Amino acid sequence: QLRPGQEIEVCTMLIECCAQERTYLRFYGSLGERFCCIGATYQALFDEAFAKQYSMIHRLETNKLRNIAKFFAHLIHSEALPWGVMEYIVITEEETTSSSRIFIKVLFQEIAEYMGLRSLRDRLAEPHMQPSFIGLFPKDTAKNTRFAINFWTAIGLGGITDSLREHLKNAPKRIVPQAPVALAAPA
């Protein structure tokens, strides 16, 4: 019997056990999904765990990172964990590390494999979810927009960048001021 407040231990144990496996086992994703279906408490705890894991992803070796990404991909695509967890991810050169890029790559490739690219694109285009997805598709600067387009394209998911490409195409062009021409002094 779990005492109130011990649910976090179950979530942590599940993630750590999943991470320790040589390859990802769907069993852990299914178990996490089942816990999320039990109640909102587990959903909230796995949401917190996602944020924590993502913030510390640079500390993990690649195999553990991949297993954790696949675990959370399972929870997200199965709707056990709300898509709002994407708000923790910001895809810019400054905000990502090589580890976080691997995590995002594995997470989204796995989701795309489960759902299909068309369904993933449709989900990412849902108007009510845009505040959670703003970091996935940054439009604050042309540099960040290009970085995100290049990232998504490099991992084989360029098909979800249509809105970014459209934004970049329609963005006002920056005019580079010309250096003044020096006039020759009369001889």
Side-chain angles (χ1 to χ4, degrees):
Q1 180 75 20
L2 280 179
R3 284 176 271 148
Q6 287 185 318
E7 295 89 354
I8 187 68
E9 299 302 325
V10 173
C11 298
T12 303
M13 180 186 67
L14 194 54
I15 293 167
E16 287 178 6
C17 289
C18 178
Q20 296 297 325
E21 295 292 341
R22 198 169 344 151
T23 59
Y24 173 71
L25 299 176
R26 276 188 59 132
F27 167 76
Y28 291 107
S30 297
L31 211 52
E33 179 183 355
R34 190 76 182 123
F35 276 108
C36 287
C37 291
I38 289 173
T41 301
Y42 283 103
Q43 270 191 344
L45 292 171
F46 278 116
D47 183 297
E48 287 174 30
F50 181 90
K52 182 179 177 185
Q53 291 293 325
Y54 184 70
S55 72
M56 298 185 337
I57 209 71
H58 59 280
R59 297 181 183 175
L60 296 177
E61 60 190 52
T62 307
N63 190 59
K64 290 181 179 184
L65 183 153
R66 287 181 189 282
N67 286 350
I68 291 171
K70 289 182 178 193
F71 173 80
F72 281 109
H74 183 110
L75 295 186
I76 292 165
H77 93 81
S78 66
E79 304 288 335
L81 193 59
W83 283 72
V85 299
M86 298 301 176
E87 70 188 8
Y88 302 116
I89 300 173
V90 177
I91 298 178
T92 63
E93 193 170 1
E94 295 77 24
E95 293 290 324
T96 57
T97 63
S98 59
S99 295
S100 65
R101 287 182 208 130
I102 293 168
F103 178 85
I104 297 164
K105 172 187 171 184
V106 173
L107 179 76
F108 275 92
Q109 285 178 337
E110 195 77 3
I111 291 171
E113 190 176 317
Y114 280 122
M115 297 178 70
L117 189 60
R118 173 173 281 131
S119 296
L120 175 59
R121 188 176 51 230
D122 292 347
R123 171 56 55 94
L124 294 172
E126 290 179 0
H128 72 282
M129 292 301 298
Q130 293 314 298
S132 295
F133 300 154
I134 201 161
L136 300 176
F137 306 105
K139 295 178 181 175
D140 55 346
T141 66
K143 176 186 172 204
N144 289 343
T145 303
R146 278 189 204 91
F147 181 85
I149 290 170
N150 291 338
F151 172 79
W152 291 115
T153 303
I155 67 168
L157 296 175
I160 65 173
T161 63
D162 293 344
S163 68
L164 281 181
R165 292 175 193 278
E166 191 66 27
H167 171 76
L168 203 55
K169 190 172 88 174
N170 296 327
K173 304 295 179 236
R174 206 175 104 198
I175 299 171
V176 179
Q178 298 293 322
V181 177
L183 298 174

